[in-house]
């Protein structure tokens, strides 16, 4: 039963459900957000998929895994889409709301912070599921992707673990931009290098030093787990990657809980407050 039907039936929906409903409507009615968060992974996948479509059945050796080119590209876009929704979207969304004073307004209402943040994260999770389902449908129907039923539980577990890791890191990263104008370029400056250096799309010769650093970034262990679940052979599960993702998740959670701010110290004053301040100074 929808929120509207619940109200018509005489039962007041919970504050949490109202916030979830509001978050979903706000997200899916924003063309800019839809283009960046939802359509961009799809466009990237179509581009890479078409470029390597003729080599879809070619077996690539990636670490200990043998994986088809189609599944390699598919695994790369799964990681990219998950990081786009759970990391970049969360970081940019929270930072903009903070700097525009939206969180400050929520704190003046009789709604608990857990309700506000919980509704936001539920919307993020639902969005991630929708994007991943769309990408999977494209891969299965037009890109030559094959899924081994025996490895499907590991793929779902890897994606869930990736969300648990990326969402707290996104909340922590939202503290970095000093103002609203710097939010998108700063977060994208973190997101794109991390996503592409993870090795999901193409294997880059990074060298020993750079490769060792990239291996410690959260995108790399997520990519390893996804590739293992999509591979033709090799280990299905990589426990060091699991522990590394959990460590990043713990770090992001601790940073977000310790330093999260509902209002920005650099929040700009309105014209009305500036005029009042000027009048007070003159007086």
């Amino acid at each position: 039963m929808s929120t509207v039907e619940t109200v018509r039936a005489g039962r007041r929906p919970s504050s949490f459900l109202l916030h979830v409903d509001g978050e979903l409507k706000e997200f899916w009615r924003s063309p800019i957000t839809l283009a960046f968060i939802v359509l961009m992974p799809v466009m990237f996948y179509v581009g890479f998929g078409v470029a390597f479509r003729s080599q879809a059945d070619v077996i690539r050796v990636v670490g200990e895994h043998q994986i088809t080119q189609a599944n390699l590209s598919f695994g790369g876009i799964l990681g990219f889409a998950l990081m786009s929704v759970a990391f970049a979207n969360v970081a940019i969304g929270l930072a903009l709301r903070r700097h525009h004073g939206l969180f400050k307004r929520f704190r003046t209402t009789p709604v608990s912070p857990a309700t506000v943040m919980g509704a936001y994260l539920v919307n993020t999770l639902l969005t991630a599921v929708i994007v991943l389902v769309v990408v999977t449908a494209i891969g299965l129907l037009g890109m030559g992707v094959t899924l081994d039923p025996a490895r499907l539980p590991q793929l779902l577990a890897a994606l869930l673990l990736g969300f648990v890791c990326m969402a707290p890191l996104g909340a922590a990263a939202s503290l970095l931009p000093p103002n609203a104008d710097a939010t998108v370029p700063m977060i994208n400056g973190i997101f794109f290098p991390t996503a592409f250096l993870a090795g999901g799309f193409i294997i880059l010769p990074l060298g020993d030093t750079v490769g060792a650093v990239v291996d410690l970034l959260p995108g790399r262990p997520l990519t390893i787990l996804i590739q293992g679940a999509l591979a033709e052979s090799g280990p299905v599960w990589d426990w060091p990657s699991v522990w590394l993702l959990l460590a990043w998740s713990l770090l992001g959670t601790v940073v977000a809980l310790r330093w999260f701010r509902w209002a920005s110290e650099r929040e700009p004053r309105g014209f009305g407050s500036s005029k009042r301040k000027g009048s007070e100074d003159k007086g």
Side-chain angles (χ1 to χ4, degrees), residues 213-238:
V213 174
V214 170
D215 287 345
L216 296 176
L217 298 179
R220 184 57 186 153
L222 175 61
T223 299
I224 291 175
L225 291 177
I226 293 175
Q227 288 176 344
L230 295 173
E232 301 290 322
S233 64
V236 180
W237 204 239
D238 185 75

Side-chain angles (χ1 to χ4, degrees), residues 69-124:
Q69 178 61 54
N71 282 16
L72 180 65
S73 300
F74 176 60
I77 202 61
L78 286 181
F80 181 86
L82 187 59
M83 292 180 65
S84 175
V85 176
F87 175 77
N89 174 48
V90 169
I92 292 174
L94 294 182
L96 289 179
R97 292 185 180 203
R98 181 183 301 111
H99 291 298
H100 289 158
L102 297 181
F103 278 145
K104 187 176 181 180
R105 296 173 194 172
F106 272 126
R107 292 306 300 270
T108 63
T109 65
V111 179
S112 68
T115 296
V116 175
M117 291 302 300
Y120 184 83
L121 292 177
V122 167
N123 173 59
T124 302

Side-chain angles (χ1 to χ4, degrees), residues 105-184:
R105 296 173 194 172
F106 272 126
R107 292 306 300 270
T108 63
T109 65
V111 179
S112 68
T115 296
V116 175
M117 291 302 300
Y120 184 83
L121 292 177
V122 167
N123 173 59
T124 302
L125 178 59
L126 291 176
T127 303
V129 171
I130 292 173
V131 174
L132 294 177
V133 168
V134 170
V135 169
T136 301
I138 294 174
L140 292 175
L141 296 176
M143 299 298 178
V145 171
T146 57
L147 296 178
D148 183 355
R151 297 196 178 206
L152 189 57
Q154 285 78 14
L155 177 61
L156 296 177
L159 294 175
L160 180 59
L161 182 59
F163 181 87
V164 171
C165 172
M166 295 301 169
L169 287 176
S174 72
L175 301 171
L176 297 176
N179 53 60
D181 293 335
T183 298
V184 173

Side-chain angles (χ1 to χ4, degrees), residues 4-130:
V4 175
E5 292 173 341
T6 303
V7 173
R8 289 176 179 174
R11 296 195 300 272
R12 180 185 176 89
S14 67
S15 175
F16 179 75
L17 291 179
L18 285 173
H19 273 74
V20 171
D21 185 60
E23 290 286 351
L24 289 173
K25 290 178 179 177
E26 180 181 355
F27 182 88
W28 292 102
R29 290 175 180 174
S30 172
I32 297 178
T33 303
L34 290 178
F36 178 75
I37 302 299
V38 178
L39 295 182
M40 186 176 64
V42 174
M43 290 187 296
F44 267 105
Y45 187 34
V46 171
F48 275 96
V50 171
F52 292 100
R53 185 65 182 87
S54 61
Q55 306 176 33
D57 296 329
V58 175
I59 301 295
R60 307 290 188 188
V61 178
V62 182
E64 300 179 65
H65 299 107
Q66 289 186 341
I67 183 171
T68 63
Q69 178 61 54
N71 282 16
L72 180 65
S73 300
F74 176 60
I77 202 61
L78 286 181
F80 181 86
L82 187 59
M83 292 180 65
S84 175
V85 176
F87 175 77
N89 174 48
V90 169
I92 292 174
L94 294 182
L96 289 179
R97 292 185 180 203
R98 181 183 301 111
H99 291 298
H100 289 158
L102 297 181
F103 278 145
K104 187 176 181 180
R105 296 173 194 172
F106 272 126
R107 292 306 300 270
T108 63
T109 65
V111 179
S112 68
T115 296
V116 175
M117 291 302 300
Y120 184 83
L121 292 177
V122 167
N123 173 59
T124 302
L125 178 59
L126 291 176
T127 303
V129 171
I130 292 173

